[in-house]
Amino acid sequence: MKTWFLYIGWCFPMLLGAHGMYPQGELSDRPNIVILFCDDLGYGDLSGFGHPTIKTPNLDRMATEGMKFTSFYAASPKCSASRYALLTGRLPARTGFPAVLGPRQDLGIHPSERTLSEGLKKAGYATAIFGKWHLGRNREHLPLQNGFDEFTGLPYSNDMNSSERPLPLLQGNDTLALDPDQSQLTVLYTERAVDFIQRKKGRPFFVYIPYTMPHVPLHPGKTFAGKSIRGTYGDVVEEIDWSAGVIMEALTNLGLEKNTLVFFTSDNGPWLVKRERGGSAGLLRGGKGSTWEGGMRVPGIAWWPETVPKGHLAMEACNTMDLYVTALKLAGAALPEERRLDGRDIQAILTREEEMPGPKPFFYYPPRGTVHAVRKGPWKLHVQIQGKEHLAYFKEEELPLLFNLDSDPSETYNVAMAHPEVVQDLSYELNTHTQHLKDEITISYK
Amino acid sequence: MKTWFLYIGWCFPMLLGAHGMYPQGELSDRPNIVILFCDDLGYGDLSGFGHPTIKTPNLDRMATEGMKFTSFYAASPKCSASRYALLTGRLPARTGFPAVLGPRQDLGIHPSERTLSEGLKKAGYATAIFGKWHLGRNREHLPLQNGFDEFTGLPYSNDMNSSERPLPLLQGNDTLALDPDQSQLTVLYTERAVDFIQRKKGRPFFVYIPYTMPHVPLHPGKTFAGKSIRGTYGDVVEEIDWSAGVIMEALTNLGLEKNTLVFFTSDNGPWLVKRERGGSAGLLRGGKGSTWEGGMRVPGIAWWPETVPKGHLAMEACNTMDLYVTALKLAGAALPEERRLDGRDIQAILTREEEMPGPKPFFYYPPRGTVHAVRKGPWKLHVQIQGKEHLAYFKEEELPLLFNLDSDPSETYNVAMAHPEVVQDLSYELNTHTQHLKDEITISYK
């Protein structure tokens, strides 16, 4: 009964679920959750988001049958921190969780964090992850110790591979292979996911598929290699598109599509320094690692036939931490109450049945250091900019920069002088946030 | 019978058509042609081409029910020259036709040009233009003297308006109003087009709708003003989207949709210097006036239910001069034989029934001066670049620049050093073209 006390904040129905006592009728009312999560896919890398030479018919159909989010954000412009936020509903800056874990680092997600998988599992969901974890390589940090029933995938990025330390492919807590054939990973994750969905169809499930691709090195499967005129980058994106199609088809064949929310997105923007092996942020400025829009705004697609209305565009700013909150709400699980969350419930946006309350500020943190920018409604205020790439456009003396992202998504026209009251309001939000964070940090990864 | 001799090159069936003797059965087999032609709409300005805050549900549906062209080009980065090319199938550089005609200029399209409207009219089509002409303001240059049965619209751009020379709204050869309420123009063009289609439904027709918008000054109709979160630019684009929806609906209600090719595109890229009142080229570099992709690559959508296959992406480079050739071919009209055309028949792309022959080079001309670049297949060779904006990215000493537009649509990675044989081939194409043009010019607008 230790669990009872530890997770009292997670509410009663979840405990019932966790112990198999949740009434069947209510259980089946709760939707399955599937999150398809790319690695380094940019805002402009799907045909439905404007790429001229990458063909993504399944994802485009997912968007026309579902909802396309045009202002959807990863919570960090880098890998580990982004995944941390998705699975905890919290800004990595709250705890100092690092942007990218190296293969030799012993750090990992703190056991006191309340992961999405733990929350859903306790609410009675079968939970699985097939793909890249990147929240700690040691046993205590791996998925099975963090709320997932099943795991097949990589502990970290696919470029963290060397002869002294070959990349492991894990199954559960065990190593299935070293330096695996990466060209088979997208198929492997897809097959495991379909198999899991088929096995678990009697109860609600959560499947998280953090694809290894299109992170470099690019390894398309043999069916896709050399097929895209975009080159190898296009091949791997088109294979992910295929995978999304297979998942949607499996759900439909099992009659589960009307009771499953599928959400497709990416962990951060495109890795521009990789040149043609990196992706495109479309009309957005910057890429991976940057707090310009291109670093953090990513494609977002929700698919849930008959619940998410067909063909709607969601232009409100939403982010991966919102998925944490929304998924727990959909599962009927209460949210952890003893800690501050940064996401919000976006069911009103997904169903278009009611108005969302006013916008919640979204904070842009660079991989290291203090907050760079805040967005509230259409407005984004930059109080810092990084590196010489950015200084080509704006000078440090011009800070703070204010952009209206609705009319100027490419962050081209600084309108700070014209809207002093907005600058003041957003500066206040930033200061309040920074002060609050200073008082709040309870977990330290140092 | 003078017509007979003058237009002998236009072939026999057209003459029959022009004299009303074309057999009814064959006539009705020939499709109607509708061209929706925006003014300064950029590659990234539709939601289906990746814009985050402009909603274009009708055009997006047009693309999912039809074919989306992701490498479609206007033949010039400026207004008059672009329209000249669409209606003659020829590069403006062949004749020295100016990039933009001013309101006081007496120049206009040469009477010896064989316009698309003349060709279709002679083939028995009812022909109309509702929108902006911009190929000469004097009577002999106006649409009715160039193959159109009906015309309502502006002789030139909507910013060419002053108290000494108020902008005229013309009907046929007459002035209907001076300095008209521009917020009513999109509705006016749409209503006239629907009326024309209803009146002419018994015979094949050609309707050309060169919208006045989104060229500045931006004047949305009252139903759209203030509706788009993108601002006024979004309002006028969303009104054009509405117009496209009304045209498709009218065709469908009349049972004509399966016998009508509707093609949507733009005259050049976005007018970036207009800041938020100008559009977006999406992931492409540059805008209106430039020979970078953003100046000339524009959205292209073909809609022709049951003939153009549903939901296909056409990634081959095509352009407005191809529409000239293709429309005449679809009408069963022979092409003018005594002059060189720059377009090609793209029916094979539209129907996906057969392979296109190898790519034809496409030449990028700036508003003034000699050719800047050529594209053949995926390769684009720049031998000139303009202005200081472009010198921020590449230096004059680096010329020529070679880009693979399939893998690098944003023209970021110069690969000239890695592909000397491609540089050589494209240089040869440029030299041959330039030499050929020097020998060919027969019409002079000087």
Side-chain angles (χ1 to χ4, degrees), chain A residues 43-44 47-56 60 64 68 70-71 229-231 238 272-276 279-284 297 312-315 352 393 404-410 412-415, chain B residues 43-44 47-56 60 64 68 70-71 229-231 238 272-276 279-284 297 312-315 352 393 404-410 412-415:
Chain A
Y43 187 76
S47 37
F49 280 74
H51 201 281
T53 54
I54 301 178
K55 286 191 184 185
T56 53
D60 297 350
T64 52
K68 179 172 158 185
T70 65
S71 270
I229 65 168
R230 167 64 179 83
E238 292 181 8
L272 300 178
V273 295
K274 299 295 174 185
R275 299 173 61 102
E276 283 160 293
S280 167
L283 82 168
L284 305 178
R297 199 195 289 200
H312 269 265
L313 290 180
M315 297 180 172
R352 291 279 179 233
Y393 308 112
N404 181 328
L405 296 178
D406 282 349
S407 57
D408 175 27
S410 306
T412 306
Y413 312 116
N414 174 18
V415 293
Chain B
Y43 187 76
S47 37
F49 280 74
H51 201 282
T53 54
I54 301 178
K55 286 192 184 185
T56 53
D60 297 350
T64 53
K68 180 174 158 183
T70 65
S71 269
I229 65 168
R230 168 64 178 83
E238 293 181 7
L272 300 178
V273 295
K274 299 295 174 185
R275 300 175 58 104
E276 283 160 291
S280 168
L283 81 170
L284 305 177
R297 201 196 289 200
H312 268 265
L313 290 180
M315 297 182 172
R352 290 280 179 231
Y393 306 112
N404 180 327
L405 296 178
D406 282 349
S407 58
D408 175 26
S410 306
T412 307
Y413 312 116
N414 174 19
V415 293

Side-chain angles (χ1 to χ4, degrees), chain A residues 371-393:
Chain A
V371 65
H372 272 194
V374 58
R375 173 174 183 171
K376 190 176 166 191
W379 301 106
K380 180 178 179 184
L381 185 77
H382 284 262
V383 292
Q384 291 188 63
I385 48 176
Q386 320 145 281
K388 65 178 167 35
E389 182 210 341
H390 309 118
L391 294 173
Y393 308 112

Side-chain angles (χ1 to χ4, degrees), chain A residues 301-327:
Chain A
I301 307 171
W303 185 80
W304 184 358
E306 295 185 16
T307 298
V308 169
K310 203 174 150 126
H312 269 265
L313 290 180
M315 297 180 172
E316 297 93 339
C318 299
N319 64 67
T320 52
M321 300 177 292
D322 297 338
L323 296 183
Y324 173 95
V325 174
T326 308

